[in-house]
Amino acid sequence: MIPTWKGKPLLPTRSAQNEMFDNDISLIDVENILESGFDCSRSKREKGKFEKCIQKGRKIIKVVVVDTGEHLVIIHVGSFTASKKKLHQLKRM
């Protein structure tokens, strides 16, 4: 069964699959991040491009997807360590 978000199937690119493997993140994890994560765009994204993050301890896990009309393509999955300042800002949200 292929995970979905907003009623559309989630399909990763080859590079996104490699990033998911490197970060030990499954398609189900990506679906959960998209559903329960917060918007973490640093700048304005193109129409149909979504960027969601979730915090796990000091790590922030980011997922970027593009809506192609028929399905959502996962183009990036990454994680980074948040600074103390960033963690403080997240706690206020």
Side-chain angles (χ1 to χ4, degrees):
M1 184 172 171
I2 298 174
T4 61
W5 185 57
K6 292 190 172 188
K8 297 180 182 181
L10 291 167
L11 304 172
T13 62
R14 174 72 60 146
S15 61
Q17 281 181 326
N18 293 338
E19 292 169 345
M20 289 167 57
F21 180 78
D22 292 343
N23 290 293
D24 195 28
I25 296 172
S26 69
L27 278 173
I28 299 299
D29 295 330
V30 170
E31 179 184 31
N32 291 335
I33 292 168
L34 291 170
E35 288 177 358
S36 62
F38 56 90
D39 183 29
C40 58
S41 297
R42 290 185 175 217
S43 60
K44 190 167 173 93
R45 289 278 183 184
E46 299 172 16
K47 185 178 179 183
K49 195 178 273 191
F50 305 95
E51 186 173 334
K52 296 280 190 165
C53 293
I54 195 166
Q55 180 184 356
K56 285 194 174 185
R58 289 197 57 176
K59 291 279 187 186
I60 304 292
I61 300 170
K62 178 187 288 192
V63 174
V64 181
V65 297
V66 176
D67 188 350
T68 64
E70 294 179 20
H71 52 273
L72 296 166
V73 178
I74 304 164
I75 60 170
H76 175 66
V77 177
S79 67
F80 58 94
T81 303
S83 66
K84 288 182 182 181
K85 180 180 177 182
K86 186 67 172 177
L87 289 173
H88 182 68
Q89 289 173 346
L90 291 174
K91 288 181 181 177
R92 288 161 104 223
M93 292 180 151

